[in-house]
């Protein structure tokens, strides 16, 4: 009987167990009615494994990878992965997105296994100090109670090979992890106000914001340790209706959520990122935030966006754009003697019929708009090109009328202009 089972292609260990059961009972046992509990005791195979084999008739099946080309599904893409690993990029999500652009059809687990097996390609990080371990204790706040904010910085290489720096404003909800990210040419105080307003429009206004001791927020502390706010920031808090709490100096663990968000932006969003200008980068950052806010976080046990709209939104306040808030979105600039205002490193012209020394300017999506100081009228609008050349508007330079002569009769003579002749330096000597 056992030889018959073997000839039928059954797994040998199962064929032997069935043979023993049939000898003990004295009759043949149909495979579909076999006692899996008894078979588990005799073979040592798990019940789930036996169910799978029973569905296949307890027969040996060829391996699932049999017949596939040698090298696996990553064949042809290992060069790209090796290049990313040599640059220190070990984020499997970023690597998978890069491979998908090249036509890779596999999954993330395949990429993670390859990265784990080729860690030797990753450059060794330089460690300046020994790890200090955990210096703080994590805690949670109630819905809509607190946000955390911070700045991060990244370097950018322009098409000419020159390097400059871009600032990243990050804000995250302490309760649910809803996040907002925006990039600016620098981390000046006016850009901090614009980033906070945009984040409040995106997520709502909490009871207080937790931040570190940045110069744009606090000047110093008094003898009792109470903060002395920077005067413009103090006026901003009153205009928005939000409070601010400061972290202990040199203790970034207090606001670990936003510190981790800045690190996540650098390791996920900015890795292998190309863009045309900061406006294009901010559109991509907003789409990235929308995607990440809708992803289920296993550590949290929920989707941040769902909890934010369900619990936090009931406590948060909406931001209304009044004249005070509009003033922070449109910082003031003084006119130069030649009719230009400087904004984000670029000079923009203002019509000559505007006589006041100060204007308001803002970057609104894909346009630069310049207003009068009291917002009574819009003076001029420019498309956002991020060109470093001066932008001149119509009517910027007043033309002084001068007498000019014109021909009284039809002009009949015609002369011809020749192209420029090559100079002596441009000749090639043979």
């Amino acid at each position: 009987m056992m030889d018959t089972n073997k000839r039928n292609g059954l797994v040998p260990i199962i064929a032997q167990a069935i043979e023993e059961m049939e000898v003990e009972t004295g009759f043949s046992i149909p495979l579909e009615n076999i006692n899996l509990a008894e078979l588990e005791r005799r073979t040592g195979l798990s019940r789930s494994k036996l169910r799978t084999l029973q569905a296949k008739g307890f027969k040996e099946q060829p391996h699932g990878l049999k017949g596939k080309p040698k090298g696996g599904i990553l064949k042809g893409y290992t060069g790209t992965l090796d290049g990313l690993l040599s640059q220190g990029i070990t984020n499997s999500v970023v690597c998978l997105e890069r491979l998908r652009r090249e036509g890779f059809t596999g999954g993330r687990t395949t990429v993670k296994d390859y990265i784990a097996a080729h860690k030797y390609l990753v450059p060794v990080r330089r460690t300046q100090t020994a790890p200090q371990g955990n210096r703080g204790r994590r805690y949670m706040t109630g819905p809509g109670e607190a946000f955390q904010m911070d700045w991060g910085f990244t370097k950018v290489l322009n098409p000419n090979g020159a390097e400059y720096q871009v600032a990243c404003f990050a804000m995250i909800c302490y309760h649910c992890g809803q996040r907002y990210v925006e990039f600016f040419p620098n981390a000046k105080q006016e850009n901090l106000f614009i980033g906070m307003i945009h984040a409040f429009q995106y997520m709502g206004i909490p009871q207080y914001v937790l931040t570190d001791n940045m110069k744009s927020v606090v000047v110093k502390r008094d003898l009792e340790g109470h903060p002395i706010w920077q005067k413009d920031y103090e006026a901003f808090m009153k205009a928005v209706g939000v409070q601010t709490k400061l972290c202990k100096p040199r203790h970034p663990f207090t606001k670990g959520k936003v510190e981790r968000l800045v690190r996540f932006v650098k390791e996920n969003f900015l890795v292998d990122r190309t863009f045309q200008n900061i406006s294009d980068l901010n559109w991509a950052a907003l789409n990235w935030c929308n995607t990440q806010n809708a992803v289920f976080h296993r550590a949290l046990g929920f989707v941040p966006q769902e909890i934010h709209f369900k619990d936090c939104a009931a406590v948060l306040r909406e931001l209304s754009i009044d004249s005070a808030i509009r003033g922070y979105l449109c910082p003031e600039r003084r006119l130069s003697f030649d009719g230009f205002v400087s904004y984000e490193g670029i000079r923009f012209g203002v019509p000559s019929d505007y006589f006041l020394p100060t204007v308001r300017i803002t970057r609104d999506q894909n346009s630069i708009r310049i207003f009068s100081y009291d917002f009574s009228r819009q003076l001029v609008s420019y498309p956002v090109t991020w060109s470093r050349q001066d932008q001149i508007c119509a009517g910027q330079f007043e033309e002084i009328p001068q007498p000019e002569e014109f021909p009284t009769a039809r002009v009949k003579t015609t002369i011809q202009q020749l192209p420029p002749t090559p100079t002596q330096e441009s000749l090639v000597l043979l």
Side-chain angles (χ1 to χ4, degrees):
M1 183 77 68
M2 184 173 176
D3 294 338
T4 305
N5 289 334
K6 286 184 177 180
R7 287 196 299 270
N8 290 336
L10 297 183
V11 180
I13 188 174
I14 297 178
Q16 181 178 356
I18 294 176
E19 175 69 17
E20 295 174 355
M21 294 170 61
E22 289 178 342
V23 170
E24 293 176 0
T25 57
F27 57 87
S28 178
I29 303 175
L31 296 180
E32 60 273 10
N33 297 331
I34 197 166
N35 190 335
L36 295 182
E38 179 64 20
L39 198 61
E40 178 184 7
R41 186 184 66 82
R42 292 175 180 267
T43 61
L45 299 177
S46 64
R47 190 79 59 90
S48 60
K49 179 68 175 178
L50 291 174
R51 288 197 192 96
T52 303
L53 292 175
Q54 186 182 35
K56 299 177 181 179
F58 294 106
K59 295 183 179 180
E60 293 182 316
Q61 301 290 336
H63 196 277
L65 298 180
K66 184 177 181 180
K68 289 192 175 182
K70 190 175 181 180
I73 195 171
L74 277 174
K75 184 178 181 180
Y77 303 100
T78 56
T80 302
L81 270 179
D82 293 345
L84 293 174
L85 292 177
S86 63
Q87 299 175 23
I89 302 173
T90 58
N91 190 308
S92 59
V93 176
V94 176
C95 294
L96 180 60
E97 291 178 356
R98 178 66 177 272
L99 295 180
R100 288 274 170 84
R101 296 183 216 155
E102 301 181 5
F104 179 67
T105 58
R108 182 181 172 187
T109 303
T110 305
V111 178
K112 291 180 68 175
D113 293 342
Y114 186 89
I115 293 174
H118 295 77
K119 287 286 188 180
Y120 59 88
L121 296 175
V122 182
V124 180
R125 292 184 178 181
R126 180 179 178 183
T127 304
Q128 296 181 348
T129 59
Q132 298 180 357
N134 185 14
R135 297 173 57 195
R137 179 176 296 177
R138 293 182 181 180
Y139 63 97
M140 298 294 293
T141 60
E145 183 177 344
F147 290 172
Q148 296 180 11
M149 70 175 181
D150 199 4
W151 284 106
F153 297 90
T154 182
K155 294 180 180 179
V156 180
L157 291 176
N158 65 10
N160 300 327
E163 188 177 85
Y164 64 96
Q165 191 169 265
V166 169
C168 172
F169 174 81
M171 182 174 281
I172 187 170
C173 178
Y174 218 153
H175 177 73
C176 64
Q178 178 91 337
R179 68 207 72 190
Y180 177 80
V181 172
E182 186 173 358
F183 291 86
F184 295 93
N186 51 63
K188 292 183 179 179
Q189 187 185 53
E190 63 182 22
N191 290 331
L192 175 68
F193 294 156
I194 294 173
M196 292 180 68
I197 292 174
H198 289 168
F200 292 154
Q201 289 178 317
Y202 184 80
M203 298 192 296
I205 304 177
Q207 297 179 18
Y208 66 89
V209 175
L210 183 67
T211 181
D212 53 15
N213 297 261
M214 59 179 69
K215 293 183 292 185
S216 303
V217 174
V218 63
V219 177
K220 60 181 180 179
R221 295 175 183 262
D222 59 18
L223 297 177
E224 297 180 356
H226 300 144
I228 299 178
W229 305 110
Q230 202 274 343
K231 61 177 184 178
D232 294 329
Y233 184 81
E234 187 174 12
F236 175 79
M237 287 193 297
K238 294 179 180 178
V240 177
V242 66
Q243 300 178 6
T244 302
K245 290 186 178 182
L246 299 179
C247 299
K248 183 179 179 181
R250 294 173 295 277
H251 199 275
F253 302 93
T254 307
K255 55 182 184 62
K257 281 184 176 290
V258 71
E259 295 282 357
R260 189 62 182 89
L261 172 59
V262 173
R263 177 182 166 188
F264 185 47
V265 171
K266 293 179 180 179
E267 295 180 349
N268 187 285
F269 174 72
L270 291 179
V271 172
D272 203 31
R273 173 69 55 180
T274 58
F275 64 100
Q276 295 180 347
N277 51 54
I278 295 184
S279 298
D280 175 49
L281 185 62
N282 280 330
W283 279 115
L286 182 61
N287 293 331
W288 180 82
C289 288
N290 293 333
T291 302
Q292 296 299 325
N293 290 332
V295 172
F296 177 81
H297 288 254
R298 185 169 55 184
L300 299 175
F302 52 77
V303 177
Q305 198 172 64
E306 295 179 356
I307 300 299
H308 190 77
F309 290 153
K310 179 182 177 182
D311 299 334
C312 299
V315 182
L316 297 170
R317 295 179 293 108
E318 293 185 3
L319 179 66
S320 58
I321 305 299
D322 53 13
S323 58
I325 300 300
R326 193 177 182 191
Y328 290 108
L329 290 174
C330 303
E332 60 181 81
R333 289 290 189 274
R334 292 189 65 86
L335 277 171
S336 63
F337 71 95
D338 52 354
F340 284 97
V341 293
S342 179
Y343 185 65
E344 295 182 336
I346 309 172
R347 298 208 312 164
F348 299 93
V350 177
S352 59
D353 59 351
Y354 183 75
F355 300 102
L356 296 179
T358 309
V359 298
R360 297 278 188 173
I361 186 169
T362 182
R363 172 165 51 87
D364 183 13
Q365 295 182 353
N366 294 323
S367 63
I368 295 287
R369 296 193 294 169
I370 303 177
F371 299 89
S372 60
Y373 183 77
D374 58 355
F375 295 106
S376 59
R377 65 188 181 102
Q378 178 175 310
L379 303 178
V380 66
S381 177
Y382 294 92
V384 175
T385 61
W386 295 102
S387 172
R388 291 296 174 181
Q389 297 180 351
D390 292 348
Q391 306 292 313
I392 301 175
C393 68
Q396 179 177 350
F397 301 105
E398 184 179 2
E399 297 183 1
I400 301 176
Q402 300 180 17
E404 181 181 0
E405 300 296 333
F406 295 95
T408 57
R410 185 167 63 93
V411 179
K412 298 181 179 180
T413 57
T414 304
I415 59 177
Q416 184 176 3
Q417 182 180 1
L418 298 177
T421 57
T423 59
Q424 187 68 23
E425 289 79 3
S426 64
L427 297 177
V428 179
L429 299 179
L430 301 177

